[in-house]
Amino acid sequence: SVSALGNGIFMLLLNLFILARGNDQAFLGLLMSTMSLTALILGLPMGILVDRLGRKKAMLLGAFLSIPGTLLLTLSSEDWPLIIAAASYGAGNALFMAAGPAFMAENAAEDERPTLFSLHSALMLIMAFFGSALGGSFPSFFGRLLHVHPESATAYRSTLLSAEGIMALGLIPLLKIEEKRVSGANPGGNAFHFRDLPLRRDVFALLVPEFIISFGASLLIPYLNVFFKMKFRIPDSLLGIVFAVSQLLTGAATLLAPILAERLGRIRTVVFTQLASLPFLFALGFVPSLPVAIVAFWLRAMLMNMAGPIYMTFAMERVREDERGTVGAMIGVAYSIGQSIGPGISGLVQRSFGFSPLFLTTGATYLSAALLTFALFGRAEHPRPCAA
């Protein structure tokens, strides 16, 4: 959670810093794409590495890749090292994405896992909110302290360095963690091969709903701020409040997911919350009232994001302990593939037809993913780990 606080500040202001140092939007887009593509390309190898190296060592390695990457992004006076830095940051994040779920699944009892995954997700959202709130005031502080303009590269650089210091503090609790080694783990083993991937039908089934949801989300969700500005002409100050409240409410709602999972079962909770979000998605898109749209935006985000930690808990219990890192990475890659396809299509649709087709398509993908999840796993709430 300490690292999430620093990362919230860093990601809030990184793009403003890149522009303030004299780069244009095209170069900024190249950096963002480099981060995402690195995580996508390295996702599976990193997952296999996590299962061979161990969860704690993998998370430490991820930190030692991402934190120097952020420092290079902040301190380099040349442009080309920033591409290397973005790749290093993406690689570090790929390791964390693969190791984190497996580590939590192995260090909690079965009945504790839904609560742990949901609590972790909620804490990340809440700390990211506080990071964004704090980060917005830091450039003004450093502007006054250093006698520079608050929107100058110097003020932004100082803010980012402060964020990186906070991220580094997150290494302290990580270093103190005592890892529970799983049977079958192979620390220091031979080099990994793609034949090590658990390419079974049950694993593939876990990936498909995530891909469908990520594709549908990428068509619309990253552009909801643009939707609010275009349809309702709201000022940036109100837009910021709307999105900040959404983060807090989503974090709080995530904490309720384990209670629902206890009553309904994990898969039924995932399906119920995803289906329940659909009326609010369509109200957001088609009701011409700003108050209704804001409330629908909040409720949609709360319901849809409750499902994620519960589904990941189920996925981690669906496979053997020694392959959880790999399967977690495979789920991340499936999600990343969907995320990489949708934005380009969305831009073309927005330009030609507006947002209405996007709301309909996103709703259709969410409905399809929910029904497919129930069809695949509705009768398998507590499956045994599969044999090799």
Side-chain angles (χ1 to χ4, degrees):
S1 58
V2 175
S3 296
L5 177 65
N7 197 61
I9 300 172
F10 184 82
M11 294 308 297
L12 174 70
L13 297 172
L14 173 62
N15 55 352
L16 300 180
F17 166 69
I18 296 298
L19 297 175
R21 72 190 292 277
N23 299 106
D24 59 12
Q25 287 88 343
F27 184 77
L28 176 60
L30 177 61
L31 286 183
M32 298 299 107
S33 296
T34 301
M35 292 180 188
S36 299
L37 287 173
T38 302
L40 174 60
I41 293 169
L42 296 180
L44 289 178
M46 290 298 188
I48 297 171
L49 180 63
V50 166
D51 284 332
R52 291 188 176 274
L53 190 63
R55 318 314 186 196
K56 178 180 176 179
K57 290 180 180 178
M59 287 189 286
L60 286 171
L61 178 58
F64 286 118
L65 285 171
S66 60
I67 293 177
T70 62
L71 285 171
L72 185 58
L73 276 168
T74 306
L75 297 176
S76 176
S77 59
E78 300 292 331
D79 288 348
W80 65 266
L82 271 62
I83 305 298
I84 298 173
S88 178
Y89 183 77
N93 282 345
L95 269 174
F96 267 102
M97 288 173 61
F103 179 82
M104 289 189 292
E106 287 157 9
N107 287 272
E110 181 177 346
D111 60 344
E112 297 172 336
R113 288 169 186 159
T115 301
L116 178 61
F117 275 71
S118 297
L119 180 62
H120 177 264
S121 180
L123 280 174
M124 294 302 102
L125 285 167
I126 292 170
M127 295 305 288
F129 163 78
F130 284 116
S132 298
L134 286 172
S137 63
F138 275 18
S140 296
F141 168 76
F142 283 113
R144 292 191 299 270
L145 181 67
L146 302 174
H147 306 291
V148 296
H149 195 278
E151 296 182 2
S152 66
T154 300
Y156 286 138
R157 181 180 289 111
S158 300
T159 300
L160 294 180
L161 288 172
S162 300
E164 289 151 12
I166 296 172
M167 292 164 68
L169 288 176
L171 287 173
I172 297 175
L174 182 57
L175 288 167
K176 294 181 177 294
I177 287 175
E178 293 184 8
E179 181 178 12
K180 171 188 171 185
R181 293 300 303 167
V182 301
S183 59
N186 184 24
N190 297 327
F192 62 80
H193 301 281
F194 280 98
R195 64 172 177 267
D196 297 321
L197 295 178
L199 298 175
R200 302 188 306 267
R201 182 180 300 177
D202 63 303
V203 174
F204 182 74
L206 292 168
L207 309 182
V208 177
E210 283 294 285
F211 167 76
I212 295 172
I213 287 174
S214 67
F215 172 70
S218 68
L219 288 171
L220 178 65
I221 305 307
Y223 301 102
L224 285 179
N225 54 349
V226 179
F227 168 76
F228 271 108
K229 294 288 288 185
M230 291 180 62
K231 183 168 184 176
F232 298 106
R233 308 293 180 185
I234 67 175
D236 289 339
S237 56
L238 177 57
L239 187 68
I241 292 171
V242 169
F243 276 72
V245 171
S246 177
Q247 283 183 311
L248 285 179
L249 292 177
T250 300
T254 302
L255 296 177
L256 299 176
I259 299 174
L260 272 180
E262 264 186 48
R263 294 175 178 271
L264 302 179
R266 292 170 192 178
I267 290 302
R268 289 178 176 83
T269 298
V270 170
V271 173
F272 170 76
T273 54
Q274 289 175 347
L275 292 178
S277 74
L278 291 178
F280 301 108
L281 175 71
F282 293 132
L284 170 62
F286 298 105
V287 175
S289 166
L290 179 59
V292 171
I294 290 174
V295 173
F297 172 68
W298 289 340
L299 292 174
R300 187 220 67 84
M302 291 167 63
L303 287 164
M304 196 64 195
N305 287 287
M306 286 172 72
I310 300 300
Y311 186 79
M312 185 59 77
T313 303
F314 176 81
M316 291 295 99
E317 293 175 349
R318 186 83 175 160
V319 298
R320 297 195 317 263
E321 288 185 345
D322 62 318
E323 61 188 15
R324 284 171 176 162
T326 304
V327 172
M330 292 171 71
I331 293 174
V333 168
Y335 196 90
S336 297
I337 292 172
Q339 288 281 303
S340 66
I341 296 173
I345 298 173
S346 180
L348 296 174
V349 173
Q350 288 177 48
R351 185 176 64 186
S352 301
F353 305 105
F355 277 91
S356 294
L358 298 175
F359 276 94
L360 293 172
T361 305
T362 296
T365 60
Y366 286 178
L367 175 62
S368 300
L371 296 178
L372 180 61
T373 299
F374 187 76
L376 290 171
F377 305 119
R379 298 180 181 178
E381 291 294 330
H382 299 289
R384 293 178 177 234
C386 300

